Amino acid sequence: MEEKATSGDARAQTSLGRYYLGLAEEKEAELNNRLAVDWLVQAAKQGRKSAARLLQRCWIQRKGIGEDNEEEVRRLSTESKFEQTVRKAAMMMFRKLNPGRKEKMAVSEMMENVGQVNAVHAGQFVDLDDFVEITKRYTQGMAPSTGSTQSQGPVLQYPITAVIEVKDQLIDWASRAGVQWLSTVIPTHHVNALIFFFIISNLTVDLFAFFIPLLVFYLSFISMVICTLRIFQSSKAWENFSALTTLLTRFEPGLDVEQAESNFGWNNLEPYLYFLISVFFIVFSFPVADKGWIPCSELSTVAILFTVVSYKSLSPSGATYAKRALITEVATSLCSLTSLLPQSAVLLRMLSHTFTTLPLGDSVVMKISLPCLLDLYLYFLFFSMARQRGFRGTYCFLVPYLVCFLWCEFSVVLLQNSSPVGLIRTCVGYFLFLFALPVLAVGLAAMVLIQLVKWFLELELTKMIVTLAVCAVPVTLRLWTRFGLSLMDVFHSMSQRGAVKLILCCVTMVMLFFWMYVYHSEGLQGYNSTLTWRQYGQLCGPPAWKVKGVAQTQIFCTHLDGHQVTWTGRFRQVRVAETENGAQSVINLLPVFMGDWLRCLYGETYPKCDPLRNNSQEEEELCVIKALAKHTCHVKRYDSYVLEVGVGMPEEDGVPEDRARDIKLVASHEFRQVLLRLQPGSLVEFSTTLEGRLGGQVPSFELKAIYCLDCDSSLLTVKIERDWRRTTLNSVKFAFDFFFSPFLSARIDV
């Protein structure tokens, strides 16, 4: 039996292992258990399932396990039945490809034996264990890396090399020490903070509401495109995988091909999950984004193209259901699009006509129509895909098809938001792109060059260069001290994580930052509160202070926090509570001569105060202050004010005005023009959010909107408030309809 086992007979090796395990029960347990494990390891490597079971028992009972074989025993004893079958088939295949029974053989020689020479792998060698592991990974959908590491020779080969190395190390050490000293001299943290606050102070909610949705939309769209291209590229790996499993079944007919395909689908889910996350972001950002900055017609054509590409990348195993689902989805979309036809096309518009509606709760309704019935059949096909192979079809067939489905849905949404002119422009543009690409390339390059020249001419070049230099100082010092100015290493370290991961990470951070900004600006508000000023005064004003005390009244009135109210009152006065000027703060850190130069570069010069010159009122006021100012220029246009407005309760129903019930409104810089033009005693209507704060004995709230009721000019109106609740509900409604319409539709009042 030992002769057979030594020659490679797996059955004999298993029998010897079982024999030595029994012998270990009688004498020399440690030695016999070790011999048993050694023979069982050799048998398990050949895919012997009984040997693997015995080896697993030895692993659990710690029989014959040492430091030298612990890892190998653990790996072999934890293999599944599928992996053992693949191991057996791979062993047989390796022997067919290695008729000379070599211990190791070159990959190129192995390829010659099957008539497929691959010069890329020349010079690499594979032994039996490597071949088995590679085959196992391929059958699980994980292609092993073909990159080879290159050994680097010793650095100090000759004395001159040692001297050069020491010199480089000294220069690097001296430069790092110098940069660290320079970074301690220059207040980089202060400069960073001032630049950051200067940028933030110039950002507004309107700018965020315009820019952030567009940024999220385009980044998510790019992520969808990259994921789809990767999925299409992985279809080639599927072809190689199918060829390998077909070859393995010739050597081991008992190989579970469906299990292999399930493993392949599970281990290649990553791009599909990233795609679905990207769709989530794009669905919630599209209804909020400004459609004027989204080329819906062009993007709809791209979406149709990727619908076809994603369908071509589907595996043949689920082609039957996928074909039916795609035909059903296209038919549903075409029927829905007939609602955009003119009213005269009565017969065609009947394809999208809703016969009746069936409410399913307060917020969801089912529309009985032809697209609804087709959509219902589509969901049945989805369920049929998912329930295949014991619901392993969810990730083998359904998730891959969802890529095709979502691209088709997105193309329909884009077409619905396209204009006839945009569609004509798209057709002409793609025609020119195909037949006049060189002319378009030259024209595009010329247009970009002209725009750059105009941009440089319109901007003050010196100001732009100085701004970039100031911002680059802390960034350069930081990179130098941390990365040694190796920007390419930083770029490669980021790109190795994957472009899609980087994009999704950026989108997530932008969404979180935007949400925090909006929540900080708006809070959780109760809209359309019916609370009157007089009621609030009775509950939280001086009458309540006398009964409960100020502190207890404050605690009680926190129950009203978040209520948005609109009241009418008499304007008392306005004063500046805070002033911020980021440019002035940066200039104050610099030497006097540099600060004066930057003050004149970024700011404005005081006017020439000539008595014979007809100056404006503003220039006259500046002439008065010019004689007392220390500088010839100022940067006051970068001032940002926080204003404090006093408003009193007007006379009502014969009740006289009571200044004890006055309130203070904290107004942002956007209200400056209106508040400075209001006259004391003007009747104003204002909106604010109750927060229960007290400034001394006077309640203080944040001003949201103000309107002068008895002013002549209609310019005295400012409304700085956004209905974020309405915007959020609109996005939720669009997302629900995107995924479930026309079968189900959201009925949300927005």
Side-chain angles (χ1 to χ4, degrees):
M1 189 175 295
E2 282 188 355
E3 290 178 358
K4 291 182 180 179
T6 305
S7 63
D9 190 335
R11 180 176 297 178
Q13 292 170 349
T14 306
S15 299
L16 274 180
R18 186 180 290 107
Y19 166 75
Y20 280 114
L21 285 177
L23 191 61
E25 300 290 339
E26 302 175 3
K27 60 180 179 179
E28 298 180 349
E30 183 176 355
L31 176 61
N32 290 320
N33 281 331
R34 188 58 182 263
L35 289 173
V37 168
D38 290 342
W39 286 114
L40 291 175
V41 165
Q42 296 183 44
K45 284 185 176 180
Q46 299 189 58
R48 192 73 180 175
K49 297 179 181 179
S50 57
R53 286 194 295 269
L54 291 172
L55 200 61
Q56 187 176 20
R57 189 184 307 165
C58 294
W59 167 258
I60 296 173
Q61 298 176 359
R62 307 299 294 178
K63 291 182 179 180
I65 307 299
E67 294 182 358
D68 55 340
N69 66 354
E70 182 176 5
E71 180 63 27
E72 189 174 30
V73 172
R74 183 195 64 79
R75 179 171 52 83
L76 291 172
S77 61
T78 55
E79 283 185 342
S80 63
K81 294 182 179 180
F82 172 75
E83 291 176 319
Q84 293 170 3
T85 306
V86 173
R87 175 180 290 278
K88 183 177 180 181
M91 291 278 298
M92 299 174 65
M93 187 191 303
F94 184 79
R95 289 169 182 166
K96 291 289 184 180
L97 299 176
N98 183 19
R101 294 290 188 263
K102 297 180 181 179
E103 188 173 338
K104 286 188 177 183
M105 63 183 302
V107 177
S108 58
E109 182 182 356
M110 185 182 299
M111 294 296 105
E112 289 176 0
N113 292 337
V114 295
Q116 297 176 354
V117 180
N118 192 346
V120 177
H121 297 279
Q124 297 184 3
F125 292 86
V126 178
D127 59 8
L128 178 60
D129 292 338
D130 291 339
F131 184 82
V132 172
E133 290 302 320
I134 290 172
T135 306
K136 282 172 54 181
R137 290 180 64 84
Y138 265 120
T139 55
Q140 294 178 357
M142 298 180 291
S145 176
T146 58
S148 60
T149 57
Q150 298 179 354
S151 60
Q152 297 179 354
V155 178
L156 304 177
Q157 294 181 356
Y158 302 99
I160 186 65
T161 307
V163 173
I164 294 175
E165 182 69 20
V166 171
K167 181 204 68 170
D168 293 339
Q169 292 292 335
L170 289 175
I171 292 176
D172 182 67
W173 176 82
S175 63
R176 288 179 179 272
V179 171
Q180 289 179 357
W181 174 82
L182 188 61
S183 62
T184 57
V185 173
I186 299 176
T188 54
H189 294 291
H190 294 80
V191 175
N192 281 333
L194 290 172
I195 292 174
F196 176 76
F197 286 121
F198 177 70
I199 294 173
I200 292 298
S201 63
N202 287 277
L203 296 178
T204 62
V205 177
D206 291 334
L207 180 62
F208 270 96
F210 168 76
F211 179 72
I212 297 298
L214 287 175
L215 178 64
V216 172
F217 174 83
Y218 281 112
L219 287 179
S220 303
F221 186 82
I222 293 172
S223 177
M224 288 174 60
V225 171
I226 294 175
C227 290
T228 307
L229 292 177
R230 287 184 176 178
I231 292 170
F232 182 73
Q233 187 180 11
S234 66
S235 61
K236 180 63 177 177
W238 172 266
E239 295 176 2
N240 297 335
F241 162 79
S242 301
L244 179 61
T245 52
T246 303
L247 184 60
L248 287 174
T249 52
R250 296 181 182 178
F251 296 96
E252 181 57 42
L255 179 65
D256 191 348
V257 178
E258 290 188 355
Q259 179 65 39
E261 292 179 352
S262 300
N263 293 340
F264 184 92
W266 178 260
N267 292 317
N268 288 273
L269 270 180
E270 184 179 8
Y272 297 100
L273 295 180
Y274 290 151
F275 179 86
L276 296 178
I277 295 174
S278 303
V279 171
F280 172 81
F281 283 125
I282 209 169
V283 165
F284 278 93
S285 62
F286 182 75
V288 186
D290 188 353
K291 305 302 186 297
W293 292 83
I294 298 177
C296 295
S297 304
E298 289 79 359
L299 293 184
S300 63
T301 309
V302 176
I304 293 173
L305 173 64
F306 279 107
T307 302
V308 178
V309 169
S310 57
Y311 177 77
K312 291 293 184 181
S313 63
L314 296 175
S315 64
S317 302
T320 304
Y321 286 112
K323 185 176 181 179
R324 295 180 190 172
L326 181 61
I327 294 174
T328 305
E329 170 62 18
V330 172
T332 304
S333 302
L334 292 177
C335 291
S336 300
L337 288 175
T338 57
S339 61
L340 302 177
L341 295 175
Q343 295 290 338
S344 57
V346 179
L347 293 179
L348 291 177
R349 287 177 61 89
M350 286 294 294
L351 296 176
S352 61
H353 178 69
T354 300
F355 298 101
T356 185
T357 58
L358 180 63
L360 302 177
D362 297 333
S363 303
V364 180
V365 63
M366 183 172 68
K367 298 180 179 180
I368 307 300
S369 61
L370 180 59
C372 173
L373 298 178
L374 291 173
D375 210 37
L376 190 61
Y377 177 65
L378 181 64
Y379 291 137
F380 169 74
L381 293 176
F382 286 172
F383 178 75
S384 301
M385 293 182 192
R387 69 183 176 87
Q388 292 189 76
R389 299 178 183 177
F391 283 95
R392 290 198 301 267
T394 303
Y395 56 84
C396 290
F397 307 123
L398 179 58
V399 172
Y401 178 74
L402 285 180
V403 177
C404 177
F405 167 75
L406 292 173
W407 271 120
C408 186
E409 283 286 305
F410 189 50
S411 65
V412 174
V413 170
L414 290 172
L415 285 173
Q416 290 175 345
N417 288 271
S418 302
S419 62
V421 176
L423 294 175
I424 295 173
R425 182 186 66 238
T426 302
C427 297
V428 175
Y430 281 114
F431 177 81
L432 293 177
F433 179 79
L434 293 175
F435 296 98
L437 184 59
V439 178
L440 281 176
V442 174
L444 183 62
M447 183 180 66
V448 171
L449 182 61
I450 292 173
Q451 289 295 329
L452 287 175
V453 172
K454 289 176 62 178
W455 183 50
F456 276 104
L457 291 178
E458 292 174 358
L459 292 176
E460 298 180 25
L461 188 59
T462 307
K463 184 185 296 185
M464 185 175 61
I465 293 175
V466 171
T467 303
L468 292 176
V470 171
C471 296
V473 168
V475 177
T476 304
L477 293 177
R478 185 67 174 171
L479 289 176
W480 198 323
T481 54
R482 172 168 290 187
F483 304 109
L485 276 183
S486 181
L487 298 180
M488 292 303 298
D489 293 341
V490 179
F491 175 77
H492 288 315
S493 66
M494 294 177 64
S495 61
Q496 285 176 356
R497 301 178 183 272
V500 175
K501 293 181 181 179
L502 184 62
I503 290 174
L504 293 180
C505 180
C506 292
V507 170
T508 305
M509 295 304 295
V510 167
M511 293 287 286
L512 289 176
F513 177 76
F514 183 60
W515 173 255
M516 292 173 61
Y517 183 86
V518 170
Y519 179 76
H520 177 72
S521 301
E522 298 295 321
L524 295 177
Q525 301 176 358
Y527 288 81
N528 302 323
S529 176
T530 58
L531 182 68
T532 65
W533 193 347
R534 194 166 299 279
Q535 289 174 337
Y536 180 79
Q538 292 292 334
L539 292 173
C540 305
W545 301 345
K546 296 176 182 179
V547 178
K548 297 181 180 180
V550 177
Q552 291 183 353
T553 303
Q554 285 181 311
I555 296 173
F556 174 73
C557 290
T558 55
H559 292 282
L560 301 176
D561 286 0
H563 281 259
Q564 182 171 313
V565 296
T566 301
W567 293 337
T568 302
R570 292 287 178 185
F571 174 73
R572 303 290 190 196
Q573 63 177 357
V574 60
R575 72 178 189 88
V576 177
E578 295 179 15
T579 303
E580 294 182 359
N581 192 322
Q584 185 67 51
S585 301
V586 175
I587 290 173
N588 291 338
L589 292 174
L590 302 175
V592 177
F593 70 93
M594 187 178 296
D596 290 339
W597 176 65
L598 289 177
R599 192 177 285 106
C600 293
L601 179 65
Y602 285 95
E604 299 172 349
T605 306
Y606 284 104
K608 295 180 180 180
C609 300
D610 190 355
L612 301 178
R613 183 183 174 188
N614 187 15
N615 297 321
S616 63
Q617 181 180 357
E618 183 179 358
E619 290 178 342
E620 290 292 344
E621 294 175 353
L622 290 176
C623 287
V624 174
I625 202 68
K626 177 182 179 181
L628 303 175
K630 298 184 297 183
H631 310 286
T632 59
C633 304
H634 64 90
V635 287
K636 304 305 291 180
R637 65 178 179 180
Y638 298 107
D639 283 348
S640 179
Y641 303 110
V642 177
L643 304 174
E644 192 175 88
V645 185
V647 183
M649 185 185 299
E651 181 178 351
E652 185 178 293
D653 297 333
V655 180
E657 296 184 8
D658 185 3
R659 287 188 174 267
R661 299 191 179 187
D662 288 1
I663 62 173
K664 289 191 300 185
L665 300 175
V666 179
S668 59
H669 185 76
E670 287 83 356
F671 293 93
R672 180 174 61 93
Q673 294 293 338
V674 170
L675 295 177
L676 293 180
R677 295 170 60 182
L678 282 176
Q679 298 297 324
S682 299
L683 189 64
V684 295
E685 184 180 77
F686 60 92
S687 296
T688 184
T689 303
L690 301 181
E691 297 178 4
R693 298 182 302 175
L694 287 180
Q697 296 293 317
V698 182
S700 177
F701 309 114
E702 183 179 359
L703 181 63
K704 297 294 183 180
I706 189 168
Y707 173 69
C708 184
L709 298 176
D710 56 0
C711 298
D712 296 334
S713 176
S714 61
L715 295 177
L716 295 182
T717 302
V718 173
K719 186 177 180 64
I720 309 295
E721 61 176 342
R722 282 184 171 270
D723 195 343
W724 297 107
R725 179 175 176 272
R726 181 187 181 91
T727 303
T728 304
L729 290 177
N730 189 27
S731 297
V732 172
K733 182 180 185 304
F734 177 83
F736 186 89
D737 292 342
F738 180 85
F739 290 110
F740 298 104
S741 181
F743 175 56
L744 297 176
S745 298
R747 188 172 59 182
I748 303 175
D749 295 331
V750 295

PDB file of all heavy atoms in Angstrom, residues 191-192 195 198-199 465-476 602:
ATOM      1  N   VAL A 191      -3.285  80.769   7.675  1.00  0.00           N
ATOM      2  CA  VAL A 191      -3.596  81.070   6.272  1.00  0.00           C
ATOM      3  C   VAL A 191      -4.651  80.108   5.742  1.00  0.00           C
ATOM      4  O   VAL A 191      -5.593  80.509   5.041  1.00  0.00           O
ATOM      5  CB  VAL A 191      -2.308  81.014   5.415  1.00  0.00           C
ATOM      6  CG1 VAL A 191      -2.644  81.202   3.947  1.00  0.00           C
ATOM      7  CG2 VAL A 191      -1.321  82.078   5.870  1.00  0.00           C
ATOM      8  N   ASN A 192      -4.499  78.819   6.083  1.00  0.00           N
ATOM      9  CA  ASN A 192      -5.501  77.839   5.653  1.00  0.00           C
ATOM     10  C   ASN A 192      -6.880  78.192   6.186  1.00  0.00           C
ATOM     11  O   ASN A 192      -7.881  78.164   5.456  1.00  0.00           O
ATOM     12  CB  ASN A 192      -5.104  76.442   6.155  1.00  0.00           C
ATOM     13  CG  ASN A 192      -4.036  75.807   5.288  1.00  0.00           C
ATOM     14  OD1 ASN A 192      -3.929  76.102   4.107  1.00  0.00           O
ATOM     15  ND2 ASN A 192      -3.227  74.958   5.880  1.00  0.00           N
ATOM     16  N   ILE A 195      -8.270  81.401   4.453  1.00  0.00           N
ATOM     17  CA  ILE A 195      -8.702  81.132   3.075  1.00  0.00           C
ATOM     18  C   ILE A 195     -10.008  80.349   3.073  1.00  0.00           C
ATOM     19  O   ILE A 195     -10.936  80.633   2.309  1.00  0.00           O
ATOM     20  CB  ILE A 195      -7.601  80.376   2.302  1.00  0.00           C
ATOM     21  CG1 ILE A 195      -6.380  81.288   2.094  1.00  0.00           C
ATOM     22  CG2 ILE A 195      -8.120  79.882   0.959  1.00  0.00           C
ATOM     23  CD1 ILE A 195      -5.194  80.577   1.470  1.00  0.00           C
ATOM     24  N   PHE A 198     -12.809  82.572   4.148  1.00  0.00           N
ATOM     25  CA  PHE A 198     -13.085  83.560   3.110  1.00  0.00           C
ATOM     26  C   PHE A 198     -13.925  82.948   1.992  1.00  0.00           C
ATOM     27  O   PHE A 198     -14.854  83.569   1.471  1.00  0.00           O
ATOM     28  CB  PHE A 198     -11.772  84.100   2.550  1.00  0.00           C
ATOM     29  CG  PHE A 198     -11.949  85.075   1.422  1.00  0.00           C
ATOM     30  CD1 PHE A 198     -12.476  86.334   1.650  1.00  0.00           C
ATOM     31  CD2 PHE A 198     -11.604  84.736   0.125  1.00  0.00           C
ATOM     32  CE1 PHE A 198     -12.654  87.230   0.616  1.00  0.00           C
ATOM     33  CE2 PHE A 198     -11.774  85.617  -0.910  1.00  0.00           C
ATOM     34  CZ  PHE A 198     -12.293  86.878  -0.667  1.00  0.00           C
ATOM     35  N   ILE A 199     -13.599  81.701   1.634  1.00  0.00           N
ATOM     36  CA  ILE A 199     -14.379  81.020   0.594  1.00  0.00           C
ATOM     37  C   ILE A 199     -15.796  80.729   1.093  1.00  0.00           C
ATOM     38  O   ILE A 199     -16.788  80.963   0.399  1.00  0.00           O
ATOM     39  CB  ILE A 199     -13.664  79.724   0.162  1.00  0.00           C
ATOM     40  CG1 ILE A 199     -12.330  80.057  -0.531  1.00  0.00           C
ATOM     41  CG2 ILE A 199     -14.547  78.902  -0.773  1.00  0.00           C
ATOM     42  CD1 ILE A 199     -11.495  78.843  -0.840  1.00  0.00           C
ATOM     43  N   ILE A 465      -2.874  85.511 -10.542  1.00  0.00           N
ATOM     44  CA  ILE A 465      -1.612  84.856 -10.200  1.00  0.00           C
ATOM     45  C   ILE A 465      -1.325  84.984  -8.708  1.00  0.00           C
ATOM     46  O   ILE A 465      -0.906  84.030  -8.047  1.00  0.00           O
ATOM     47  CB  ILE A 465      -0.466  85.449 -11.039  1.00  0.00           C
ATOM     48  CG1 ILE A 465      -0.663  85.091 -12.520  1.00  0.00           C
ATOM     49  CG2 ILE A 465       0.878  84.933 -10.548  1.00  0.00           C
ATOM     50  CD1 ILE A 465       0.346  85.741 -13.441  1.00  0.00           C
ATOM     51  N   VAL A 466      -1.556  86.156  -8.162  1.00  0.00           N
ATOM     52  CA  VAL A 466      -1.316  86.366  -6.734  1.00  0.00           C
ATOM     53  C   VAL A 466      -2.237  85.482  -5.902  1.00  0.00           C
ATOM     54  O   VAL A 466      -1.824  84.889  -4.899  1.00  0.00           O
ATOM     55  CB  VAL A 466      -1.503  87.857  -6.375  1.00  0.00           C
ATOM     56  CG1 VAL A 466      -1.467  88.050  -4.868  1.00  0.00           C
ATOM     57  CG2 VAL A 466      -0.422  88.689  -7.029  1.00  0.00           C
ATOM     58  N   THR A 467      -3.490  85.370  -6.308  1.00  0.00           N
ATOM     59  CA  THR A 467      -4.439  84.528  -5.573  1.00  0.00           C
ATOM     60  C   THR A 467      -3.988  83.073  -5.570  1.00  0.00           C
ATOM     61  O   THR A 467      -3.994  82.405  -4.528  1.00  0.00           O
ATOM     62  CB  THR A 467      -5.835  84.641  -6.200  1.00  0.00           C
ATOM     63  OG1 THR A 467      -6.230  86.019  -6.212  1.00  0.00           O
ATOM     64  CG2 THR A 467      -6.844  83.827  -5.409  1.00  0.00           C
ATOM     65  N   LEU A 468      -3.581  82.578  -6.735  1.00  0.00           N
ATOM     66  CA  LEU A 468      -3.106  81.193  -6.812  1.00  0.00           C
ATOM     67  C   LEU A 468      -1.845  80.994  -5.993  1.00  0.00           C
ATOM     68  O   LEU A 468      -1.663  79.955  -5.344  1.00  0.00           O
ATOM     69  CB  LEU A 468      -2.854  80.808  -8.273  1.00  0.00           C
ATOM     70  CG  LEU A 468      -4.097  80.707  -9.163  1.00  0.00           C
ATOM     71  CD1 LEU A 468      -3.696  80.409 -10.602  1.00  0.00           C
ATOM     72  CD2 LEU A 468      -5.044  79.635  -8.651  1.00  0.00           C
ATOM     73  N   ALA A 469      -0.960  81.977  -6.004  1.00  0.00           N
ATOM     74  CA  ALA A 469       0.275  81.853  -5.235  1.00  0.00           C
ATOM     75  C   ALA A 469       0.001  81.805  -3.741  1.00  0.00           C
ATOM     76  O   ALA A 469       0.584  80.999  -3.004  1.00  0.00           O
ATOM     77  CB  ALA A 469       1.206  83.020  -5.568  1.00  0.00           C
ATOM     78  N   VAL A 470      -0.912  82.662  -3.273  1.00  0.00           N
ATOM     79  CA  VAL A 470      -1.234  82.680  -1.841  1.00  0.00           C
ATOM     80  C   VAL A 470      -1.861  81.357  -1.413  1.00  0.00           C
ATOM     81  O   VAL A 470      -1.528  80.795  -0.365  1.00  0.00           O
ATOM     82  CB  VAL A 470      -2.168  83.862  -1.524  1.00  0.00           C
ATOM     83  CG1 VAL A 470      -2.680  83.773  -0.099  1.00  0.00           C
ATOM     84  CG2 VAL A 470      -1.445  85.184  -1.735  1.00  0.00           C
ATOM     85  N   CYS A 471      -2.758  80.845  -2.228  1.00  0.00           N
ATOM     86  CA  CYS A 471      -3.405  79.581  -1.888  1.00  0.00           C
ATOM     87  C   CYS A 471      -2.447  78.401  -2.002  1.00  0.00           C
ATOM     88  O   CYS A 471      -2.624  77.387  -1.319  1.00  0.00           O
ATOM     89  CB  CYS A 471      -4.617  79.337  -2.793  1.00  0.00           C
ATOM     90  SG  CYS A 471      -5.943  80.544  -2.582  1.00  0.00           S
ATOM     91  N   ALA A 472      -1.433  78.523  -2.868  1.00  0.00           N
ATOM     92  CA  ALA A 472      -0.514  77.405  -3.094  1.00  0.00           C
ATOM     93  C   ALA A 472       0.537  77.278  -2.006  1.00  0.00           C
ATOM     94  O   ALA A 472       1.122  76.206  -1.840  1.00  0.00           O
ATOM     95  CB  ALA A 472       0.171  77.552  -4.449  1.00  0.00           C
ATOM     96  N   VAL A 473       0.805  78.350  -1.259  1.00  0.00           N
ATOM     97  CA  VAL A 473       1.868  78.295  -0.253  1.00  0.00           C
ATOM     98  C   VAL A 473       1.592  77.231   0.798  1.00  0.00           C
ATOM     99  O   VAL A 473       2.418  76.334   1.012  1.00  0.00           O
ATOM    100  CB  VAL A 473       2.073  79.687   0.386  1.00  0.00           C
ATOM    101  CG1 VAL A 473       2.958  79.579   1.620  1.00  0.00           C
ATOM    102  CG2 VAL A 473       2.702  80.632  -0.616  1.00  0.00           C
ATOM    103  N   PRO A 474       0.460  77.257   1.511  1.00  0.00           N
ATOM    104  CA  PRO A 474       0.246  76.212   2.519  1.00  0.00           C
ATOM    105  C   PRO A 474       0.105  74.824   1.920  1.00  0.00           C
ATOM    106  O   PRO A 474       0.541  73.842   2.517  1.00  0.00           O
ATOM    107  CB  PRO A 474      -1.053  76.657   3.217  1.00  0.00           C
ATOM    108  CG  PRO A 474      -1.734  77.550   2.249  1.00  0.00           C
ATOM    109  CD  PRO A 474      -0.655  78.223   1.467  1.00  0.00           C
ATOM    110  N   VAL A 475      -0.494  74.739   0.726  1.00  0.00           N
ATOM    111  CA  VAL A 475      -0.655  73.425   0.095  1.00  0.00           C
ATOM    112  C   VAL A 475       0.704  72.837  -0.273  1.00  0.00           C
ATOM    113  O   VAL A 475       0.984  71.654  -0.046  1.00  0.00           O
ATOM    114  CB  VAL A 475      -1.557  73.542  -1.148  1.00  0.00           C
ATOM    115  CG1 VAL A 475      -1.666  72.198  -1.857  1.00  0.00           C
ATOM    116  CG2 VAL A 475      -2.939  74.044  -0.767  1.00  0.00           C
ATOM    117  N   THR A 476       1.591  73.665  -0.844  1.00  0.00           N
ATOM    118  CA  THR A 476       2.917  73.193  -1.242  1.00  0.00           C
ATOM    119  C   THR A 476       3.727  72.732  -0.042  1.00  0.00           C
ATOM    120  O   THR A 476       4.362  71.664  -0.060  1.00  0.00           O
ATOM    121  CB  THR A 476       3.665  74.312  -1.985  1.00  0.00           C
ATOM    122  OG1 THR A 476       2.889  74.746  -3.095  1.00  0.00           O
ATOM    123  CG2 THR A 476       5.012  73.812  -2.467  1.00  0.00           C
ATOM    124  N   TYR A 602      -6.584  94.067  -4.653  1.00  0.00           N
ATOM    125  CA  TYR A 602      -7.884  93.415  -4.506  1.00  0.00           C
ATOM    126  C   TYR A 602      -9.009  94.390  -4.166  1.00  0.00           C
ATOM    127  O   TYR A 602     -10.172  94.090  -4.405  1.00  0.00           O
ATOM    128  CB  TYR A 602      -7.817  92.348  -3.407  1.00  0.00           C
ATOM    129  CG  TYR A 602      -7.094  91.099  -3.822  1.00  0.00           C
ATOM    130  CD1 TYR A 602      -5.741  90.925  -3.537  1.00  0.00           C
ATOM    131  CD2 TYR A 602      -7.748  90.084  -4.503  1.00  0.00           C
ATOM    132  CE1 TYR A 602      -5.070  89.781  -3.909  1.00  0.00           C
ATOM    133  CE2 TYR A 602      -7.092  88.928  -4.884  1.00  0.00           C
ATOM    134  CZ  TYR A 602      -5.749  88.773  -4.585  1.00  0.00           C
ATOM    135  OH  TYR A 602      -5.084  87.646  -4.960  1.00  0.00           O
TER     136      TYR A 602
END
